[in-house]
Amino acid sequence: MSILKQLVFTPRCLICTRLGDNFCLSCLEKIRPFRARKLSEIEICFCAGDYSGWLRDSVICYKNGDARYTKLLAQVLGRTLDRLEVTQNLTLIPVPSSQQKIRERGFDSIANLCTNMIRERESLTLDTSNLFLRRSVVDQVGLTALQRQENLDGAFGTRRVISGTVVIVDDVITTGATMNSAARALKFAGAQRVFALALCGTPKIR
């Protein structure tokens, strides 16, 4: 293969642009997950980072349909999961995307990340079909905390009974309205403990 072809086809780290891989280990090791603000329905919530820098940019690209970021963000979530006090016999529950968003992106963004997470973690169980949106909700961007709560109140339902410990997964936590609404539905369905993970969010303290 010519030098030109090597330069064209050799992958670059999506974070630092270094040649060699779609993301390099040194960049991943800079991830410093933190415990997020207290949510009323969640026992513990951890975020991979603030909604800023390369993590914010990666999330935006991914949500706009760039599937190259799937493996990177799944590994970021995996490292964040390791911060939970309970790491065995967990069921991952992705926050469901609307059918419109799935059509626009070409994939269910959070379920896609969870699917990639469990490939390297045999102790995890994935349930992508239980939690669902019972009604349409408006885009949360620009809404106040109260408006977000009203928008998501009673928005989620479950299709069957669930038990044990569950971990709700989402991309961004702002006020926590989505996580709390999903957690209430899962508790009503029988979940004993509810944790949460997100790629970006607001720290409990700094």
Side-chain angles (χ1 to χ4, degrees):
M1 182 180 289
S2 68
I3 295 177
L4 178 59
K5 285 186 177 179
Q6 290 180 28
L7 290 174
V8 171
F9 294 105
T10 300
R12 289 180 178 269
C13 175
L14 294 170
I15 303 171
C16 68
T17 72
R18 183 182 300 151
L19 286 171
D21 204 346
N22 287 331
F23 44 90
C24 57
L25 184 60
S26 61
C27 285
L28 282 176
E29 288 177 343
K30 294 177 183 177
I31 291 293
R32 295 291 183 269
F34 56 77
R35 188 164 178 170
R37 65 173 64 186
K38 177 66 176 176
L39 301 177
S40 60
E41 303 294 335
I42 306 291
E43 191 166 331
I44 300 173
C45 175
F46 271 97
C47 300
D50 295 315
Y51 190 60
S52 61
W54 71 263
L55 185 57
R56 172 187 177 274
D57 294 342
S58 298
V59 170
I60 290 174
C61 289
Y62 180 67
K63 292 177 70 172
N64 285 334
D66 192 339
R68 292 180 303 160
Y69 289 86
T70 302
K71 190 173 181 181
L72 167 63
L73 296 179
Q75 289 211 11
V76 168
L77 279 174
R79 287 172 175 264
T80 307
L81 177 67
D82 291 337
R83 294 294 302 275
L84 288 180
E85 295 176 355
V86 179
T87 58
Q88 297 294 321
N89 301 316
L90 302 176
T91 299
L92 298 185
I93 307 285
V95 170
S97 300
S98 68
Q99 290 303 310
Q100 179 181 348
K101 291 295 185 182
I102 293 174
R103 286 193 297 270
E104 291 174 354
R105 295 174 183 143
F107 53 85
D108 187 328
S109 58
I110 309 303
N112 193 33
L113 293 179
C114 291
T115 299
N116 276 265
M117 285 175 65
I118 67 168
R119 287 175 180 167
E120 299 180 1
R121 296 168 181 265
E122 295 181 355
S123 63
L124 295 178
T125 301
L126 175 60
D127 187 345
T128 62
S129 62
N130 198 348
L131 188 68
F132 70 98
L133 280 169
R134 300 173 58 187
R135 57 176 175 79
S136 297
V137 296
V138 301
D139 195 317
Q140 299 271 81
V141 177
L143 298 183
T144 66
L146 179 59
Q147 289 171 332
R148 287 170 181 258
Q149 182 177 339
E150 293 174 345
N151 185 39
L152 273 300
D153 188 28
F156 293 103
T158 56
R159 294 186 172 92
R160 56 188 174 275
V161 172
I162 191 169
S163 61
T165 302
V166 302
V167 181
I168 305 171
V169 183
D170 204 358
D171 47 17
V172 180
I173 294 179
T174 305
T175 64
T178 300
M179 287 291 196
N180 275 334
S181 181
R184 280 192 290 270
L186 291 168
K187 287 179 177 179
F188 186 77
Q192 281 83 48
R193 303 183 73 184
V194 181
F195 296 91
L197 293 180
L199 289 165
C200 300
T202 303
K204 181 180 179 182
I205 56 173
R206 265 300 190 220

